Amino acid sequence: MIDRLENGGYVRRTTDPGDRRKGVVEAVPERVHEVAEVFEPSRRHMATLADRYGSDEIGLLFDLFAHATAAFKAATAEIRAGGE
């Protein structure tokens, strides 16, 4: 995916100034508006959906999503390890 974004001119790869062994992917500022345009319908529909919830409920959803990411990563590691 990074290769496709880079080939399309949306991102560029650089090295981490603190550790040259690491690569950093950064957005090309001149192309950010194009990406924003593509995702605008998604943002609009998600904003309409979010309007259904109060701030406490939104906080709960963010908490769920934050922990779900770790859970999916753990499950992926388990699957790759053969279910051990």
Side-chain angles (χ1 to χ4, degrees):
M1 181 174 81
I2 304 277
D3 288 341
R4 286 185 280 178
L5 289 169
E6 185 177 37
N7 290 337
Y10 296 102
V11 300
R12 62 179 148 245
R13 296 175 203 242
T14 62
T15 54
D16 184 323
D19 184 347
R20 298 194 56 79
R21 295 172 295 172
K22 293 181 183 178
V24 176
V25 178
E26 58 185 28
V28 173
E30 301 80 23
R31 303 294 303 271
V32 170
H33 71 281
E34 294 174 52
V35 175
E37 288 176 12
V38 169
F39 285 100
E40 195 284 325
S42 295
R43 278 196 305 271
R44 187 177 67 249
H45 287 282
M46 290 304 291
T48 299
L49 177 61
D51 286 343
R52 298 176 51 175
Y53 301 97
S55 60
D56 288 345
E57 293 168 313
I58 293 289
L60 180 65
L61 290 170
F62 274 101
D63 182 70
L64 171 71
F65 294 141
H67 291 91
T69 299
F72 278 114
K73 286 181 179 181
T76 299
E78 186 177 323
I79 291 165
R80 287 183 176 153
E84 298 173 6

